[in-house]
Amino acid sequence: MIRMNQVVKSYTTGKVDFTALKGIDLHIRKGELAAVIGPSGSGKSTLMNIVGCLDIPSSGEYMLEGSDVGQLSSNELAEIRNRKIGFVFQAFNLLPYATAYENVEVPLLFAGAKAKYRRERVIELLSRVGLANKVSNRPTEMSGGEMQRVAIARALANEPDVILADEPTGNLDSKSGGEIVKLFHELWESGKTIIMITHDNNIAATAERVIKLKDGMIDSNGLKARTSA
Amino acid sequence: MKIGIIYNVFLRDFRKQKKRIALTLIALVWGTISIMLLLGFGEGLHRQMTVNDKGLGEGIAIVWGGQTSIPFKGMGKGRRIRLNTDDLDYIKGRIPEIKEIGGQYDRWGVNLQYGDQVISEHCVGLTPNYRQMRNLNPQMGGRMINELDLKYKRRVIFLGDNVADRLMGGDEPIGKQIMLNSIPFTVVGVMAQKLQNSSYGGMDENQVSIPLTTFKAIFGDPYLDNIVYQISDVSRNEEIEKELYAVMGERYKFDPEDERALSVWDTVAGKKEFDQIMFGIQIFMGIIGGLTLLIAGVGVANIMYVSIKERTREIGIKMAMGARRSYILTQFLLEAILITFGGGVLGMALSYIMTEGFKRIPIESDVLDMMGRPTISLEIGLLVIVILSVMGILAGLFPAMRASSVNPVESLRYE
Ligand SMILES: Nc1ncnc2c1ncn2[C@@H]1O[C@H](COP(=O)(O)OP(=O)(O)OP(=O)(O)O)[C@@H](O)[C@H]1O
Ligand SMILES: [Mg+2]
């Protein structure tokens, strides 16, 4: 499903070059639930953005469902972001002026879905994350946990195979964080591939596989541990 | 399908942008109004001054007697040249380009009495053709001094509208007797109100006119105070003035080159100068208008730029959710077009309402009269709207293009 070969990402700030990812080899199979852990600055978000096609590698190869992402046009990338991947951010990234309903509708609009289908789908998704009664609330009128559930509903809108979450519980208290993690587990059980960055070892422990990053390299990819166990 | 997507997103988001739209609209409306009013009042002033300028008369020159300053045929300088009623026919007979010619006697401090009311005014003895030469037109129901009045030295009087008000109050003046230095006169007409911004010897509304011959019989003035002539071909004003010097020089034996022998006020020359000044004012207004337009344009561009730049993160979110670059750009372009044109049209409408309202201010005032009727020009309005809109649209599209051309992470990181 997801396969990376020697993926490198470097940034240039002023005159200084900084390599955030120093050659990542990674393979994630369909239906896996993987947690990504590592110290701050180790390149977790950088990696996740590349997986989610929000950013492109400086070098190396990234294959998503058999197609080479590096070779795709910007419209094809937009299509992948729209249909194949659902992205959940630590900072929620909801449209501030839009209601919960309208935020969940965004990917459906860009997919060109019909009005009737959009309506049914948005209500269905918001019910699924337990927000059927907050349809008309704007982000400022919701708690952090509620906002993150809206974001998850939005990520699920076009039924993507892969859900990526960059510290989805980072801005939440442990109770609402726990609810979010529970949601991800349900999604995983329904067959989605899930990759989740977390700083919380308890959450990481619930994952099927734990990928550990350090200094822009994979410290352990979680496979050996499982085979040896 | 693509158009459907853009349409849906556009409609949905546009309603959410009330504050930004309001701000941009204000900038645009303000810009349009300032330029439209500036140019509108400029144009109104121009028209009004042109109209006022006709109050004295069109294509006329006024001639006074003078004193020779060059010795001529054995006669020394310093000889007085005075004008005479016989000069009128003499000049007309020799200079066919002169369409009308007339003369006047002036006397200030003439007592007028009607009932108990006594006032002291400027009295003019004149020829009937002052009506067309000097625009001494009667109000409805009355008439100007005519040829028969002149022939029979009738004691009839034509009142300036202001004098009529002061002397007779609200009474109907036509047909009434008034006393002029204790001599009874019949009022035959009152001058129709007119705008006059240049004069010699006072404003026409403040004088009374009687036939030239009657004046001579009563006051016995030996000489005319001045002669007025009117030409049909205003482009030949200078030649005709030269001819006048030649003809009069021959009659009174002075050097035709002696400019001091007569004094001539050629209003046509003044008019030409006036037109040049007006043209200069218009150029000036154009420059000021252009600069105002530039400032307004920069203001609009600034607001558009900032308000789109602020939405960088929104663009990042939409891109992350699968929006194509073209969707984003089309949406923002549509928004910008709608806002800028809406603002422009609104500004035009408001300018129109304001100028119309100004024209209806019921206060009587010379200043307001001079300001005249501000005139909004549709062509200039459209030009202003198009320029402001293009500046606004480009300024708004620029950050949208940038935000949609980078990887979504970069736009998402924007604070
Ligand atoms: N746009 C950028 N320009 C320059 N350097 C960057 C940029 N984005 C990330 N970096 C650098 O790359 C490194 C990895 O960043 P990244 O955000 O991937 O870390 P992270 O593992 O997600 O950390 P955290 O746990 O704090 O979120 C950091 O040292 C960061 O400074
Ligand atoms: Mg991070």
Side-chain angles (χ1 to χ4, degrees):
Chain A
M1 165 122 256
I2 288 167
R3 188 182 289 277
M4 285 187 172
N5 281 323
Q6 283 303 305
V7 162
V8 172
K9 180 72 186 178
S10 37
Y11 296 106
T12 312
T13 0
K15 289 199 182 98
V16 193
D17 275 0
F18 179 81
T19 308
L21 297 178
K22 300 167 181 162
I24 301 283
D25 294 316
L26 184 66
H27 179 209
I28 289 172
R29 285 179 299 263
K30 194 169 166 59
E32 271 189 326
L33 168 58
V36 178
I37 60 168
S40 186
S42 55
K44 303 183 295 294
S45 298
T46 308
L47 176 65
M48 196 67 119
N49 291 334
I50 290 173
V51 174
C53 297
L54 299 178
D55 207 350
I56 45 166
S58 309
S59 69
E61 187 189 51
Y62 169 30
M63 307 288 287
L64 176 66
E65 287 192 334
S67 55
D68 185 348
V69 171
Q71 306 299 314
L72 298 179
S73 71
S74 80
N75 281 353
E76 287 166 330
L77 286 174
E79 177 94 8
I80 288 180
R81 292 193 288 261
N82 185 239
R83 293 177 186 271
K84 297 219 164 125
I85 293 168
F87 212 112
V88 178
F89 304 87
Q90 179 179 358
F92 317 135
N93 276 336
L94 299 177
L95 297 177
Y97 56 80
T99 62
Y101 181 101
E102 290 163 336
N103 267 296
V104 176
E105 196 187 19
V106 170
L108 293 164
L109 280 170
F110 290 126
K114 293 243 160 41
K116 183 164 173 289
Y117 175 75
R118 292 204 305 267
R119 201 158 43 238
E120 289 167 2
R121 180 78 180 140
V122 171
I123 297 299
E124 178 194 329
L125 287 164
L126 283 173
S127 309
R128 176 148 170 211
V129 297
L131 290 177
N133 57 340
K134 304 273 175 170
V135 170
S136 311
N137 288 39
R138 285 168 214 285
T140 47
E141 299 156 350
M142 286 187 280
S143 72
E146 286 167 345
M147 282 194 269
Q148 198 57 298
R149 279 185 280 161
V150 172
I152 292 170
R154 178 178 66 179
L156 295 172
N158 288 322
E159 304 192 61
D161 292 332
V162 185
I163 306 286
L164 306 177
D166 188 346
E167 293 189 55
T169 62
N171 282 346
L172 305 177
D173 63 31
S174 57
K175 182 171 170 287
S176 36
E179 286 166 7
I180 298 296
V181 171
K182 199 163 144 264
L183 257 173
F184 280 116
H185 273 271
E186 285 169 21
L187 291 171
W188 173 52
E189 273 150 24
S190 73
K192 306 276 185 209
T193 309
I194 295 180
I195 309 175
M196 181 174 21
I197 298 177
T198 183
H199 272 294
D200 187 329
N201 287 330
N202 296 330
I203 294 174
T206 65
E208 191 189 10
R209 173 180 169 192
V210 177
I211 299 162
K212 194 170 173 209
L213 284 191
K214 198 177 164 192
D215 285 339
M217 295 197 282
I218 294 195
D219 198 32
S220 91
N221 64 18
L223 292 175
K224 224 180 272 167
R226 207 167 50 155
T227 41
S228 67
Chain B
M1 178 151 97
K2 202 184 135 187
I3 293 196
I5 293 174
I6 291 166
Y7 174 78
N8 284 328
V9 176
F10 170 72
L11 267 198
R12 215 189 70 152
D13 288 357
F14 194 69
R15 285 180 287 126
K16 307 278 177 185
Q17 304 294 331
K18 290 192 190 85
K19 212 172 86 188
R20 287 197 184 98
I21 291 174
L23 273 175
T24 325
L25 276 184
I26 290 172
L28 259 153
V29 167
W30 178 251
T32 328
I33 288 185
S34 16
I35 297 164
M36 294 309 293
L37 287 191
L38 179 76
L39 297 181
F41 274 95
E43 177 63 19
L45 189 68
H46 174 235
R47 288 195 189 181
Q48 194 66 7
M49 284 179 81
T50 316
V51 170
N52 288 355
D53 193 56
K54 292 180 176 149
L56 185 68
E58 283 179 86
I60 62 168
I62 300 114
V63 186
W64 290 266
Q67 220 168 11
T68 58
S69 60
I70 305 174
F72 187 68
K73 294 196 172 160
M75 288 176 285
K77 54 183 183 179
R79 201 159 37 87
R80 289 203 67 141
I81 305 296
R82 291 192 162 100
L83 304 175
N84 195 296
T85 44
D86 297 341
D87 295 339
L88 300 178
D89 285 341
Y90 182 84
I91 295 170
K92 181 115 198 257
R94 278 162 184 75
I95 311 179
E97 290 93 338
I98 288 182
K99 190 169 70 169
E100 291 287 346
I101 188 163
Q104 74 182 67
Y105 297 112
D106 287 287
R107 186 157 293 237
W108 280 266
V110 172
N111 279 328
L112 299 176
Q113 187 190 351
Y114 174 75
D116 297 337
Q117 183 73 357
V118 181
I119 56 178
S120 174
E121 295 301 327
H122 173 203
C123 176
V124 183
L126 44 63
T127 49
N129 54 8
Y130 268 55
R131 172 173 178 169
Q132 57 268 32
M133 286 196 301
R134 295 270 291 94
N135 283 328
L136 296 182
N137 291 307
Q139 289 175 11
M140 287 269 284
R143 64 172 179 83
M144 174 52 175
I145 308 294
N146 65 23
E147 291 295 340
L148 290 175
D149 297 335
L150 203 68
K151 189 172 173 194
Y152 297 114
K153 300 182 190 169
R154 283 176 181 157
R155 290 206 292 267
V156 291
I157 189 162
F158 178 81
L159 304 178
D161 46 330
N162 193 3
V163 178
D165 280 350
R166 283 185 285 119
L167 182 64
M168 313 182 75
D171 281 13
E172 166 61 47
I174 314 291
K176 295 275 159 49
Q177 287 256 307
I178 67 171
M179 306 300 273
L180 186 148
N181 280 3
S182 304
I183 303 162
F185 271 75
T186 308
V187 178
V188 291
V190 176
M191 189 181 79
Q193 198 182 5
K194 69 174 179 182
L195 291 165
Q196 178 184 358
N197 66 352
S198 56
S199 71
Y200 59 101
M203 289 294 169
D204 295 345
E205 59 181 11
N206 286 324
Q207 73 179 35
V208 299
S209 313
I210 60 176
L212 190 75
T213 48
T214 317
F215 190 105
K216 169 106 177 163
I218 293 173
F219 297 107
D221 289 20
Y223 301 109
L224 287 174
D225 281 81
N226 55 62
I227 286 176
V228 175
Y229 67 85
Q230 187 173 38
I231 58 179
S232 20
D233 183 0
V234 290
S235 65
R236 300 197 52 211
N237 62 320
E238 282 169 20
E239 295 158 56
I240 295 170
E241 192 183 321
K242 277 214 169 66
E243 275 184 66
L244 178 81
Y245 273 89
V247 165
M248 291 296 275
E250 195 180 326
R251 182 168 167 82
Y252 289 102
K253 310 275 178 284
F254 64 79
D255 188 333
E257 300 296 312
D258 189 351
E259 300 211 342
R260 311 276 282 275
L262 297 173
S263 102
V264 178
W265 176 22
D266 182 358
T267 66
V268 177
K271 173 87 168 69
K272 284 177 183 167
E273 205 168 294
F274 170 81
D275 284 347
Q276 278 163 7
I277 293 173
M278 269 337 277
F279 186 60
I281 290 179
Q282 275 179 313
I283 290 178
F284 175 73
M285 295 291 259
I287 291 172
I288 300 277
L291 291 178
T292 314
L293 184 66
L294 198 71
I295 292 170
V298 169
V300 169
N302 190 33
I303 287 198
M304 287 299 281
Y305 178 82
V306 170
S307 73
I308 304 296
K309 185 80 187 159
E310 269 184 349
R311 291 169 72 179
T312 301
R313 197 181 171 91
E314 173 190 332
I315 293 174
I317 294 174
K318 286 182 172 165
M319 298 286 287
M321 294 304 132
R324 291 183 179 190
R325 184 166 189 236
S326 57
Y327 297 172
I328 305 273
L329 290 182
T330 321
Q331 180 196 354
F332 280 73
L333 184 66
L334 276 178
E335 260 188 49
I337 290 176
L338 213 67
I339 292 176
T340 51
F341 273 89
V345 170
L346 197 66
M348 270 276 269
L350 284 176
S351 317
Y352 183 74
I353 292 172
M354 284 163 83
T355 50
E356 285 301 306
F358 181 85
K359 281 189 227 173
R360 285 180 176 71
I361 295 176
I363 309 164
E364 286 270 343
S365 135
D366 287 347
V367 177
L368 288 192
D369 274 348
M370 268 318 280
M371 299 277 281
R373 276 143 260 289
T375 311
I376 297 282
S377 142
L378 187 68
E379 290 85 3
I380 293 182
L382 288 180
L383 190 71
V384 166
I385 292 179
V386 167
I387 291 176
L388 288 184
S389 299
V390 168
M391 287 180 81
I393 290 167
L394 290 182
L397 216 52
F398 177 68
M401 282 171 76
R402 224 199 98 71
S404 61
S405 65
V406 297
N407 294 318
V409 260
E410 280 188 45
S411 298
L412 281 172
R413 217 176 268 135
Y414 181 85
E415 285 304 330

